Amino acid sequence: MSLLKLNDLYKTVILEHARAPHHYGQLADVPATTLNNPTCGDVITVQVQVTAEKISRIRFSGQGCTISQASASVMTDVLSGQSVEQAQRLIQAFSKLVIGEKVAEQWTKQLGEAAVLGSVAEFPTRIRCATLAWHAAAQALGEIDE
Amino acid sequence: MSLLKLNDLYKTVILEHARAPHHYGQLADVPATTLNNPTCGDVITVQVQVTAEKISRIRFSGQGCTISQASASVMTDVLSGQSVEQAQRLIQAFSKLVIGEKVAEQWTKQLGEAAVLGSVAEFPTRIRCATLAWHAAAQALGEIDE
Amino acid sequence: MNISERRADFPILNTQMNGEPLTYLDNAATTQKPQAVIDAISQYYLHDNANVHRGVYSLAARATDQYEAVRDQVAAFIHAPQRESVFFTRSTTDSLNWVAQTYGEQNLQAGDEIVVTALEHHSNLVPWQQLAQRKQAQLKVIQLTSTGELDWASAQQQITDRTKIVAVAHCSNVLGVTCPIQKLARLAHQHGAIIVVDGAQAVAHQPVNVQTLDADFYAFSGHKLLGPTGVGVLYGKLALLQTLTPAQFGGEMISNVTWEHTEFAPIPQRFEAGTPNISGVIGLGAALTYIQQLGFAAIQTQERQLTAQLLNGLLTFPDVTVYGPQQVAQHGPVVAFNVDGIHPHDVATGLDLAGVAVRAGHHCAQPLMQVLQVPTTVRASVQFYNSAADIARFLAALQAVKEFFQQ
Amino acid sequence: MNISERRADFPILNTQMNGEPLTYLDNAATTQKPQAVIDAISQYYLHDNANVHRGVYSLAARATDQYEAVRDQVAAFIHAPQRESVFFTRSTTDSLNWVAQTYGEQNLQAGDEIVVTALEHHSNLVPWQQLAQRKQAQLKVIQLTSTGELDWASAQQQITDRTKIVAVAHCSNVLGVTCPIQKLARLAHQHGAIIVVDGAQAVAHQPVNVQTLDADFYAFSGHKLLGPTGVGVLYGKLALLQTLTPAQFGGEMISNVTWEHTEFAPIPQRFEAGTPNISGVIGLGAALTYIQQLGFAAIQTQERQLTAQLLNGLLTFPDVTVYGPQQVAQHGPVVAFNVDGIHPHDVATGLDLAGVAVRAGHHCAQPLMQVLQVPTTVRASVQFYNSAADIARFLAALQAVKEFFQQ
Ligand SMILES: Cc1ncc(COP(=O)(O)O)c(C=O)c1O
Ligand SMILES: Cc1ncc(COP(=O)(O)O)c(C=O)c1O
C-alpha cells in the first residue's frame, strides 16, 4: 500500500495536532456545547468565552478520530482572539473549504493550518469528522449572540 | 387476430353452456354456498340437495364470465345424480384437470363435457374462473357430510 | 417525439406475446422500464454496491452519494421546498399507510372526520377506513357527478370543521379524471384539515408542484413512473414531519440508543429505518432523468393524441360503455369501459390472445364499481411510448373479440 | 469450491478501489451480487414486467408465477411447513417492526415483559423498546459472558412468566457469535412467550430450519444473502399469523371492500399491501438458487477457513483487541476489533486507501458498544467469495496503517 495516499489526508501538521491538541480541556463557568457524530460515535465539546466582543478563551474536549481531534485543535488556534463576527466568517469559510468549494485567498490565509484540512474534501465520509468541532463552535457563538 | 386461439379456450360447448346455462336458479329450503373471485368480482352461489346419499337436485346462480358460468353449468350436469363420494372425486379430478395434471381416463370420461374445460390449463389467470363453482359445490357437500 | 426511437428505449415493447406484437395497455398498473433504468440498476451492482450511510470506505461513499442525489432529484421533480421533506418508502401504498399510522394515529380523536372521494383506490381508502374504526372517527365520501368528476357541492358538504384529513387521488386510476387538488387543499385548510394526495396516477403524466398544490402529503410509486418496483416516495411539509414519531425503528434512523431510550436522527433519515431499497432508488433516479430529458410537454402531446384515439375509437362502438368523461379534453390516459353482454374477463382474455394487455377487474376500487353499478370493467391505459399502431391494434382486436362472442 | 470461478461470478470483486484491487470485507453490511442475480432482474424487466396478482393477460401471469415461485423457494430454503407462512417485506427491519406493530400491539399489556439480548442490532431492539414504552411493558436484557456469548443464567433469570416476547439475533453482526435459538425457544415457550428471531446475519452462512429452531417469527433481508436491496422476508407460524390484523392496507390484500368495511384476502396476500418489490423478489429467487447450487457445505468450509485466517491473523498483532470469542471454533464470519491508540475511523480510512473495505462504527449496536466499553470498533466480515489473498491483503494493509499512525 502506498503511504503517499495516507499522507495526502493525514498531513504531518494534522498528526501533530491530534497527538498534542492545543486548548484541550474545560473552562469552569463557561457554557459547553456538545455535538456528536452518530456514525462514528465521536463526541466533541466546545467552550467559547467572549470578552469585549472577542474570543478571549476557547477550549475543546472529547473523543474522536485523528481528523476530528486535529480539526478541533487547529480551530482553537484560529479562532482565539477573533471577533465573534470574524470567527463566524472563518467557520463558514472552513465549512466551504472542506467540501471542496472555492474560498477567497484572504480566508485560506487566515485559516492558516486549518486550511490543510481542505484535503478532507477528497474523503467524503470524513468531512463530518473535520466539521464537528466547528459546528459546535458556531452553535456556541450563536447562543452567545442571542 | 387468429380466432383459432379464441376457439382453443372458448369451445362451442362452453359458449353454449354460458349462453343457456343448465340448472340455473335457486332452490327454496336448501342451504346456499357463495364464493367470490376477488380479482374479477365474480360471485357464484351453489345449492346441493342430497337425498339418500345421492345428489337429487343442484342449482347455481350468480354473475360471472363465460368460463365460470359454463363451468358451473356443466358441473351441475356432471354432479346430478352422483353419490356424495363420487361427486367429491369428480370435483377432485376436475381440479387436477384444469391445472394441467394428468387424470385417469375413467375420470375424464365421467367428467364428459366438463373435461373440455381442461383447455383452461393453458390460461393460468382463468383457472380460478373454471374452479369457482366446483369449490363452492365441494364446500356445500362438505357441510352436508358433517 | 420520435416514437420509434422512444420505443427502442423500452426493449419489452419490441417483444411478442402469444405470437403477436406485444401491445401493452396496462400502464396504469405498472409502466415498462427504459434500458437506462435497467442499466442503472445493473451498473450499481456491478460497480458501486455497498450499504449506505454507514461505511467510511470509498465504495460506501459512492453508494451513499448516488442514493442521496436521487433525493435531490425527487425534491426538484415535485418542486419540494427542501430535500428533507422527501423520503423513500416501498410504494404509494406504503407512503399512504405511513401517513395514517403516524399523522393519523397521533392526531385523530373520536368524533373527528376523514374525508375521501368516491373514486379512491383501496390504498387511499382502506388505511383511512381502518384508522377511522380504530379512532371512532367518521369516514365521509365526496360523491361524483354523472361524468365521474368530483362533485364540488358534495366536497363542500362533506368537508367540515370536524374534518381532520382529506385524502384524495390526484388522478383516478379508473375514470381518467383529475381532481382539483389546489381547490380541495384550500377548502381543507379553511376547515383546519390537512390534505393527503395520492399521486400514483399523476406523476408520470404531468408536472407536479407540491407547493402550488399546497399538498400536506404527496405519495407516489416508482414503478408507475418508469422506475423499478419496491420504491415509493412520500413528500410531507417539513413542519408536519417534524411533529411526527417514526412508524418504524432500527438501523441508521437513530442518533443515540441506550437500553432505555432512543434519540432519533434528523429528518429525513429518521423516517428511513433499516437498509433502504438502494438499487431501487438509483433506478428511480434514472427514470426521472429519462422523463426530464423527454420533458412533460412532449409526453403530454403524445399522450393526449393516444388518449383521443383510444377514447374516440371506443366511443364509435355502439355497444361499448365508457365510464367517466366522454370528452378527450377532460380525459387522462386511463379509459375504463365495458362491452354489452361480454364479461370483462372474456374481453381481456380475447385481447390477450391478440397480444394486447389490458386489465379487467375492479382496479382496486371496489366501492367505485358499486357507484358505477358494475361488478368490474375493462381498462386500457396509455403511456407516451405507446404508438398509434398500438391503439389501432387494440381497437381491431376488440372488434374481433366482439364478433367472436356475439357470433 | 473453485474460488476463482466463484469470484468471476461477482463482477465487482474484480474491480479496483483507490488504485488497488477491491478487497470487500464489509459483507455483514451487505453482500455483493452474482451476475445471475443482476441478470434475473434485468431479464424480468426486459421480458416479463407486469403487475402481479392483477392482470388476466399472459404477461401478468408470467410475472405472478415467477413472484409466487420465489415464495415456494423461500419456504423450502428455511424449511417452513407451508408457503403461506412466508411473506415479503422491505427488509429485516421492516419484518421485525411488523411483528412489533401487529403481534406486539395486539397482545401486549401493561406490566408484560419483552426480553432481548445485549448483542441486538438496533433493528431488533428499538422496535421493542418503543413498543414497551407505548404499552408500559418492561424491556429486559439477557447479558453476555466475557467472551460475548449469551449468558444462559441471565437468560433463565430474565425470561419469566410475565415475558410475552423474546427477541433475539440468530447470529451477532458484531461479535460473530451464534445464539442458541432452539434452547431459547424452549425456554420462551415454557413461559408462554413467543420467540422472534432476527436471522439477518444467519441465513447466508448456515442452513436454517425454522421448524427445528421452533421460531415463532423469523426475519431476514435479501441484500445480505446475495440478493437485491428492498426485499425482506418474514416467516411466521401460520396459527399466529391467522390471529393478526394486517399492519398495512390497500391494493390486492383485500377480498371485499365497501365504504364501511373491508374483508381481507387469505394469508399471505393479506400481509402484502400494494405492489410488492416484484423484481426484488425475483432477484432474491436467483440468489437462493445460486446458494443452493453451491450448497452450504462448500460455503461453510470456505468461510471457516477465511474466518480462521482473519481471526488468527488479527490475534498475532499484540496491540489489537478482538471482541467476542477468541477461538475460531466459536466464531462466525464477522470479527470486530480495535487497534490500540488508533481510532477505528482512521483504521478504516487507511485500509480503504489500500482498497480494503471494512466498517468502522457502532454497527447499529450502540448499547453493545457500551457493554464492550468502547465508543466504536472496526469490523471485518467475510463471505465465501472472499479469497485467502483478500485476508492477506487486509492483514498487510493493517500492518502498514499501524506503522503509519504509530510512526
Ligand atoms: C443482526 C442484524 N439485524 C438486523 C439488521 C437490519 O437489516 P436491514 O438493514 O436489511 O433491515 C442487520 C443489518 O444491518 C443485522 O446485521
Ligand atoms: C390511484 C392509485 N393509488 C394507489 C395505488 C397503489 O400503488 P402501489 O401498488 O404502487 O402501492 C395505485 C396503483 O395500483 C393507484 O392507481
Side-chain angles (χ1 to χ4, degrees):
Chain A
M1 181 184 65
S2 148
L3 287 184
L4 285 176
K5 285 188 221 147
L6 267 178
N7 279 322
D8 280 353
L9 178 59
Y10 298 98
K11 305 234 158 71
T12 312
V13 49
I14 294 176
L15 291 171
E16 277 168 4
H17 270 281
R19 267 182 212 137
H22 306 176
H23 307 100
Y24 192 95
Q26 276 160 7
L27 297 171
D29 306 328
V30 175
T33 305
T34 300
L35 284 187
N36 79 325
N37 179 343
T39 329
C40 61
D42 286 357
V43 181
I44 293 259
T45 300
V46 171
Q47 290 172 292
V48 184
Q49 190 171 40
V50 174
T51 321
E53 292 286 300
K54 285 205 155 90
I55 296 178
S56 50
R57 288 198 301 168
I58 183 164
R59 291 285 181 285
F60 85 98
S61 58
Q63 290 239 341
C65 63
T66 301
I67 307 294
S68 74
Q69 295 287 301
S71 182
S73 174
V74 296
M75 177 189 78
T76 57
D77 286 353
V78 169
L79 298 189
S80 287
Q82 302 286 358
S83 72
V84 170
E85 207 193 321
Q86 183 71 352
Q88 283 166 330
R89 290 218 187 108
L90 283 162
I91 293 170
Q92 265 185 22
F94 180 80
S95 302
K96 284 190 179 172
L97 196 79
V98 293
I99 56 169
E101 283 185 22
K102 263 199 110 57
V103 168
E105 215 186 301
Q106 92 179 88
W107 295 112
T108 45
K109 259 195 199 148
Q110 287 194 55
L111 284 170
E113 285 185 340
V116 171
L117 278 154
S119 59
V120 84
E122 284 162 52
F123 299 83
T125 58
R126 306 304 301 277
I127 292 168
R128 273 211 272 191
C129 309
T131 53
L132 195 60
W134 298 72
H135 286 163
Q139 199 169 307
L141 288 171
E143 278 154 18
I144 287 171
D145 253 2
E146 310 271 322
Chain B
M1 180 184 66
S2 148
L3 288 183
L4 285 176
K5 284 187 221 147
L6 267 178
N7 278 322
D8 281 352
L9 178 59
Y10 298 98
K11 306 235 158 68
T12 312
V13 49
I14 294 177
L15 291 172
E16 278 167 3
H17 269 281
R19 267 182 213 137
H22 305 176
H23 307 99
Y24 191 96
Q26 276 161 4
L27 298 170
D29 305 329
V30 175
T33 304
T34 299
L35 284 187
N36 79 324
N37 180 344
T39 328
C40 61
D42 286 359
V43 181
I44 293 259
T45 299
V46 171
Q47 290 173 294
V48 185
Q49 190 170 42
V50 175
T51 321
E53 291 285 299
K54 283 201 162 116
I55 295 177
S56 50
R57 289 200 300 169
I58 183 164
R59 292 285 181 284
F60 86 97
S61 58
Q63 290 241 340
C65 63
T66 301
I67 306 293
S68 74
Q69 294 288 301
S71 183
S73 175
V74 296
M75 176 189 80
T76 57
D77 286 354
V78 169
L79 298 189
S80 285
Q82 302 286 358
S83 73
V84 170
E85 206 192 323
Q86 182 71 353
Q88 282 165 333
R89 290 221 186 106
L90 282 162
I91 292 170
Q92 264 184 25
F94 180 79
S95 301
K96 283 190 179 174
L97 196 80
V98 293
I99 57 168
E101 284 186 23
K102 264 201 109 58
V103 169
E105 215 186 299
Q106 90 178 91
W107 295 112
T108 45
K109 260 195 196 144
Q110 288 193 55
L111 282 170
E113 285 185 341
V116 171
L117 278 155
S119 59
V120 83
E122 283 162 53
F123 299 82
T125 58
R126 306 304 301 276
I127 292 168
R128 273 209 274 189
C129 307
T131 53
L132 195 60
W134 299 72
H135 286 164
Q139 199 170 306
L141 289 170
E143 278 154 17
I144 287 170
D145 253 2
E146 310 272 321
Chain C
M1 185 182 303
N2 182 327
I3 185 67
S4 63
E5 271 181 23
R6 289 298 69 72
R7 287 177 71 79
D9 294 339
F10 294 78
I12 201 173
L13 298 181
N14 304 308
T15 60
Q16 301 263 311
M17 180 53 64
N18 295 319
E20 309 279 341
L22 173 64
T23 304
Y24 187 73
L25 294 174
D26 194 18
N27 295 290
T30 198
T31 61
Q32 298 303 336
K33 320 303 170 198
Q35 188 72 51
V37 167
I38 302 170
D39 287 347
I41 299 169
S42 300
Q43 289 305 307
Y44 168 72
Y45 285 126
L46 291 170
H47 298 292
D48 310 316
N49 176 56
N51 213 323
V52 291
H53 301 138
R54 301 189 178 191
V56 171
Y57 52 89
S58 309
L59 200 64
R62 220 141 83 179
T64 306
D65 288 351
Q66 289 180 39
Y67 177 85
E68 288 298 330
V70 180
R71 196 189 307 279
D72 292 315
Q73 212 183 341
V74 169
F77 190 75
I78 58 170
H79 301 89
Q82 63 282 101
R83 70 191 308 278
E84 289 78 14
S85 55
V86 164
F87 63 95
F88 296 109
T89 65
R90 197 186 64 246
S91 60
T92 307
T93 303
D94 193 22
S95 296
L96 293 168
N97 276 277
W98 190 93
V99 181
Q101 270 163 35
T102 56
Y103 187 88
E105 206 61 62
Q106 293 162 37
N107 289 283
L108 238 71
Q109 310 281 334
D112 286 345
E113 296 169 353
I114 306 173
V115 175
V116 299
T117 83
L119 55 67
E120 296 309 316
H121 186 280
H122 294 158
S123 295
N124 201 27
L125 163 61
V126 187
W128 306 116
Q129 178 194 72
Q130 300 290 313
L131 174 67
Q133 283 174 14
R134 286 197 302 276
K135 293 285 187 175
Q136 296 176 282
Q138 207 195 332
L139 186 76
K140 294 168 77 184
V141 183
I142 300 174
Q143 299 305 319
L144 307 179
T145 66
S146 60
T147 56
E149 282 159 306
L150 225 65
D151 181 340
W152 189 247
S154 173
Q156 286 177 310
Q157 208 181 335
Q158 300 293 37
I159 300 173
T160 72
D161 285 349
R162 289 231 191 104
T163 307
K164 287 288 180 306
I165 297 170
V166 176
V168 54
H170 196 169
C171 297
S172 162
N173 69 319
V174 178
L175 301 172
V177 302
T178 297
C179 296
I181 301 300
Q182 215 178 344
K183 246 171 99 183
L184 277 170
R186 207 172 310 123
L187 186 60
H189 293 151
Q190 274 163 11
H191 288 284
I194 64 156
I195 183 161
V196 182
V197 183
D198 169 359
Q201 294 296 336
V203 280
H205 303 291
Q206 56 178 273
V208 167
N209 185 321
V210 290
Q211 294 185 75
T212 313
L213 295 175
D214 206 9
D216 295 287
F217 290 99
Y218 196 96
F220 62 95
S221 293
H223 73 95
K224 293 191 197 269
L225 185 64
L226 316 189
T229 54
V231 59
V233 167
L234 183 62
Y235 158 82
K237 281 186 186 162
L238 202 54
L240 282 177
L241 291 178
Q242 272 155 351
T243 65
L244 299 178
T245 303
Q248 294 198 330
F249 310 95
E252 299 283 338
M253 54 71 76
I254 56 87
S255 100
N256 196 41
V257 178
T258 63
W259 295 117
E260 296 78 27
H261 182 73
T262 296
E263 247 169 66
F264 303 124
I267 293 168
Q269 252 189 277
R270 182 181 305 175
F271 300 131
E272 293 181 357
T275 304
N277 186 354
I278 308 170
S279 69
V281 166
I282 286 167
L284 174 60
L288 295 185
T289 301
Y290 186 94
I291 289 174
Q292 283 163 329
Q293 278 167 0
L294 269 187
F296 273 113
I299 289 173
Q300 289 186 313
T301 305
Q302 170 72 359
E303 292 186 352
R304 268 198 217 106
Q305 273 174 26
L306 292 165
T307 305
Q309 189 188 355
L310 174 63
L311 182 65
N312 293 333
L314 281 169
L315 291 172
T316 60
F317 291 109
D319 50 358
V320 163
T321 308
V322 168
Y323 305 100
Q326 312 285 304
Q327 255 83 42
V328 176
Q330 281 89 55
H331 220 293
V334 180
V335 183
F337 65 95
N338 269 326
V339 185
D340 286 359
I342 317 182
H343 191 280
H345 259 56
D346 294 321
V347 174
T349 292
L351 293 174
D352 182 37
L353 292 176
V356 180
V358 298
R359 184 140 176 234
H362 51 63
H363 318 298
C364 295
Q366 287 188 343
L368 174 60
M369 296 297 117
Q370 282 160 30
V371 172
L372 300 177
Q373 297 183 299
V374 290
T376 54
T377 80
V378 190
R379 181 187 72 184
S381 50
V382 300
Q383 208 78 14
F384 65 84
Y385 49 62
N386 285 118
S387 61
D390 280 346
I391 311 295
R393 260 199 304 272
F394 160 73
L395 293 169
L398 187 64
Q399 176 62 31
V401 168
K402 271 164 36 68
E403 282 167 14
F404 178 85
F405 282 104
Q406 291 165 350
Q407 76 203 331
Chain D
M1 185 182 301
N2 181 326
I3 183 68
S4 63
E5 273 182 21
R6 290 298 69 73
R7 287 177 70 80
D9 294 340
F10 294 78
I12 201 172
L13 297 180
N14 303 307
T15 61
Q16 301 264 310
M17 180 53 64
N18 295 320
E20 309 277 343
L22 173 64
T23 304
Y24 187 74
L25 293 174
D26 195 19
N27 295 290
T30 198
T31 61
Q32 297 304 336
K33 322 302 171 197
Q35 188 72 52
V37 167
I38 302 170
D39 287 347
I41 299 169
S42 300
Q43 288 305 307
Y44 167 71
Y45 284 125
L46 291 171
H47 298 293
D48 310 316
N49 176 57
N51 214 324
V52 292
H53 302 136
R54 302 189 178 189
V56 171
Y57 52 90
S58 309
L59 200 63
R62 221 141 84 180
T64 305
D65 287 352
Q66 289 181 39
Y67 177 85
E68 288 299 331
V70 180
R71 196 189 306 279
D72 291 316
Q73 212 183 341
V74 170
F77 190 76
I78 58 170
H79 301 90
Q82 61 284 104
R83 70 189 312 276
E84 289 78 13
S85 54
V86 164
F87 64 94
F88 296 110
T89 64
R90 196 186 65 243
S91 60
T92 307
T93 302
D94 192 23
S95 296
L96 294 168
N97 275 279
W98 190 92
V99 181
Q101 269 163 35
T102 57
Y103 187 89
E105 206 61 61
Q106 294 163 36
N107 289 282
L108 238 71
Q109 309 281 333
D112 286 346
E113 296 170 352
I114 306 173
V115 175
V116 299
T117 82
L119 54 67
E120 297 309 317
H121 186 281
H122 294 159
S123 295
N124 201 28
L125 164 61
V126 188
W128 306 117
Q129 179 195 72
Q130 300 290 315
L131 174 68
Q133 282 174 14
R134 286 197 302 276
K135 294 285 189 176
Q136 296 175 281
Q138 207 194 332
L139 186 76
K140 293 168 77 184
V141 183
I142 300 174
Q143 297 306 318
L144 307 179
T145 66
S146 60
T147 56
E149 283 160 307
L150 225 66
D151 180 340
W152 189 249
S154 174
Q156 287 177 308
Q157 209 181 333
Q158 300 293 36
I159 300 174
T160 73
D161 286 349
R162 290 231 191 102
T163 307
K164 287 289 178 307
I165 296 170
V166 176
V168 55
H170 195 169
C171 297
S172 162
N173 68 318
V174 179
L175 300 170
V177 303
T178 297
C179 295
I181 301 300
Q182 214 178 345
K183 247 171 98 184
L184 277 170
R186 208 173 309 125
L187 186 60
H189 293 151
Q190 276 163 10
H191 288 284
I194 64 156
I195 184 161
V196 181
V197 183
D198 169 359
Q201 293 296 336
V203 280
H205 303 291
Q206 55 180 274
V208 167
N209 185 321
V210 291
Q211 293 184 76
T212 313
L213 295 175
D214 205 9
D216 295 289
F217 290 100
Y218 196 96
F220 62 96
S221 294
H223 73 96
K224 294 189 197 271
L225 186 65
L226 316 188
T229 54
V231 58
V233 167
L234 183 63
Y235 157 82
K237 281 186 184 162
L238 202 54
L240 281 178
L241 291 178
Q242 273 154 351
T243 65
L244 299 179
T245 302
Q248 294 199 330
F249 310 95
E252 299 284 338
M253 53 73 76
I254 57 88
S255 100
N256 196 41
V257 178
T258 62
W259 295 117
E260 296 77 26
H261 183 73
T262 296
E263 248 170 65
F264 302 123
I267 292 167
Q269 251 188 277
R270 183 181 305 175
F271 300 131
E272 293 181 358
T275 304
N277 187 352
I278 308 170
S279 69
V281 166
I282 287 167
L284 174 61
L288 295 184
T289 301
Y290 186 94
I291 288 174
Q292 283 163 328
Q293 279 167 359
L294 268 186
F296 273 113
I299 289 173
Q300 287 186 313
T301 305
Q302 169 72 0
E303 292 186 352
R304 266 198 218 104
Q305 273 175 25
L306 292 165
T307 305
Q309 188 187 355
L310 173 64
L311 182 64
N312 295 333
L314 280 169
L315 291 172
T316 59
F317 293 108
D319 50 359
V320 163
T321 307
V322 169
Y323 305 99
Q326 312 284 306
Q327 256 84 42
V328 176
Q330 280 89 56
H331 220 293
V334 181
V335 183
F337 66 94
N338 268 326
V339 185
D340 286 358
I342 317 182
H343 191 279
H345 259 56
D346 293 321
V347 174
T349 292
L351 292 174
D352 182 37
L353 292 176
V356 180
V358 299
R359 185 142 173 233
H362 51 64
H363 319 298
C364 294
Q366 287 189 342
L368 174 60
M369 296 296 118
Q370 282 160 31
V371 172
L372 300 177
Q373 297 183 298
V374 290
T376 54
T377 81
V378 190
R379 181 186 73 183
S381 50
V382 301
Q383 208 78 13
F384 65 85
Y385 51 61
N386 285 118
S387 61
D390 280 346
I391 309 295
R393 260 198 305 270
F394 160 73
L395 293 169
L398 186 64
Q399 177 62 32
V401 168
K402 271 165 35 69
E403 283 167 15
F404 178 84
F405 282 104
Q406 292 166 350
Q407 74 204 336

